[in-house]
């Protein structure tokens, strides 16, 4: 038996084509790039979440002299959200860097975990300096995510 997965995603060659709320969130993430501490990779990433009540929070990647000890922008932000806004639902997560930036594998797992916990889809906007990719759910970025308690085969 062969099963199939299908991935629908939006592609916007210019940020100006997106709805106002998404443009705003991408701008917030782009602004957060300037707060990155990335002297080792020289790669700055900004992340921003919009909750369903409209609140926006941002963060950025932070590196360590013990290089792998740093944290990606998305994961740092989601862990902060879990600690400080545990009751709130994230509607959209935006990630921006100067080159098109799609989340690493570890971040996909953490975004998918968050989506699972809150039980509503998290839209993800992945932006470069001009273009943006949009997916409607974290699940589509990480099919077969790891779970401690698998429910189906
Ligand atoms: N990085 C992020 O912040 N998010 C990603 O999705 C990929 C990578 C950071 C980690 C590290 O500080 C730098 O980018 C280079 O890998």
């Amino acid at each position: 038996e062969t099963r199939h997965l299908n991935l629908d995603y939006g592609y916007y060659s210019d940020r100006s084509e997106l709805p106002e709320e998404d443009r705003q969130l991408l701008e917030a993430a782009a602004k957060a790039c300037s707060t990155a501490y990335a002297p080792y990779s020289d790669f700055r990433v900004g992340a921003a979440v919009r909750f369903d009540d409209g609140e926006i929070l941002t963060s950025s990647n932070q590196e360590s002299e013990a290089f792998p000890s740093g944290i990606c922008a998305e994961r740092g932000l989601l862990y902060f959200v879990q600690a400080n806004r545990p009751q709130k639902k994230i509607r959209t997560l935006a990630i921006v860097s100067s080159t098109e930036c799609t989340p690493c594998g570890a971040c996909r797992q953490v975004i998918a975990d968050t989506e699972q916990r809150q039980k509503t889809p998290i839209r993800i906007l992945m932006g470069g300096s001009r273009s943006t990719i949009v997916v409607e759910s974290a699940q589509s970025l990480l099919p077969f995510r790891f779970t401690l308690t698998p429910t189906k085969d």
Side-chain angles (χ1 to χ4, degrees):
E1 182 185 355
T2 305
R3 298 179 182 184
H4 296 275
L5 284 169
N6 179 45
L7 172 60
D8 290 320
Y9 65 95
Y11 180 82
Y12 299 83
S13 54
D14 197 281
R15 211 179 276 175
S16 63
E17 298 161 7
L18 282 148
E20 169 67 19
E21 281 206 346
D22 289 345
R23 278 208 310 271
Q24 218 180 49
L25 198 65
L26 284 160
E27 286 305 326
K31 211 169 152 195
C33 284
S34 65
T35 68
Y37 181 70
Y40 306 106
S41 70
D42 207 29
F43 191 80
R44 271 160 279 279
V45 184
V49 289
R50 182 195 293 279
F51 296 98
D52 54 7
D53 66 1
E55 187 192 10
I56 289 176
L57 290 177
T58 67
S59 194
S60 54
N61 59 321
Q62 303 294 325
E63 295 181 353
S64 162
E65 205 151 322
F67 192 53
S69 301
I71 190 80
C72 293
E74 307 88 305
R75 249 177 311 153
L77 180 55
L78 290 179
Y79 289 148
F80 180 88
V81 166
Q82 175 59 21
N84 295 284
R85 302 285 192 282
Q87 309 303 338
K88 285 207 187 185
K89 291 187 183 206
I90 295 170
R91 181 68 193 107
T92 310
L93 165 69
I95 303 149
V96 171
S97 75
S98 50
T99 58
E100 206 157 81
C101 186
T102 51
C104 77
C107 285
R108 288 176 195 220
Q109 176 72 37
V110 173
I111 302 166
D113 294 346
T114 307
E115 180 172 272
Q116 180 65 24
R117 261 197 322 268
Q118 70 173 31
K119 296 186 176 61
T120 53
I122 298 178
R123 299 173 63 241
I124 306 172
L125 316 176
M126 296 161 278
S129 56
R130 285 175 71 86
S131 63
T132 304
I133 292 169
V134 182
V135 295
E136 293 300 319
S137 152
Q139 204 196 345
S140 57
L141 282 189
L142 189 65
F144 305 113
R145 79 186 180 96
F146 172 75
T147 60
L148 272 174
T149 48
T151 49
K152 36 180 146 30
D153 51 29

